[in-house]
Amino acid sequence: MVNSVPTLFILNRNYSSWSLRAWLAIRHLNIKFNAELLLIGTPEVPDLFTPEAGAMLGRAGPTHKVPALHVQKPLGGETHIVFETLAILEYLYE
């Protein structure tokens, strides 16, 4: 891993088991990270099939997939986005 603090974009952990798995893995490895919780099922975003949900998921990355791990390379380098739980786990264990 690089020296910057990664950001993990996840949905409600009680609705998204894939988000929960990535969150648990990064916590288990004692890696410092920021968690960006994208809430679905609120009055503002009642479900996934609304324009508001699409805009919110767009913050996670161009694929609109969560969980997504944003990692900035050192010395002001570009941000890499790792999505899909298994890919995130593989990245964390490298």
Side-chain angles (χ1 to χ4, degrees):
M1 294 262 325
V2 295
N3 293 332
S4 65
V5 177
T7 300
L8 181 66
F9 287 80
I10 57 174
L11 285 179
N12 314 36
R13 291 183 297 267
N14 55 336
Y15 294 119
S16 173
S17 62
W18 292 107
S19 291
L20 176 62
R21 290 174 184 146
W23 181 82
L24 284 172
I26 202 167
R27 291 287 308 259
H28 177 73
L29 294 170
N30 291 321
I31 296 172
K32 291 182 182 178
F33 72 103
N34 297 318
E36 181 80 28
L37 184 60
L38 307 175
L39 294 173
I40 302 288
T42 64
E44 296 82 21
V45 185
D47 64 46
L48 276 169
F49 305 105
T50 61
E52 294 82 7
M56 183 178 60
L57 290 171
R59 294 190 350 230
T63 61
H64 294 207
K65 291 185 176 184
V66 289
L69 184 68
H70 290 222
V71 181
Q72 186 173 6
K73 294 300 179 184
L75 303 174
E78 62 185 38
T79 299
H80 292 268
I81 301 172
V82 182
F83 58 91
E84 301 288 341
T85 300
L86 292 177
I88 291 170
L89 295 178
E90 190 174 317
Y91 178 83
L92 293 173
Y93 278 99
E94 287 182 353

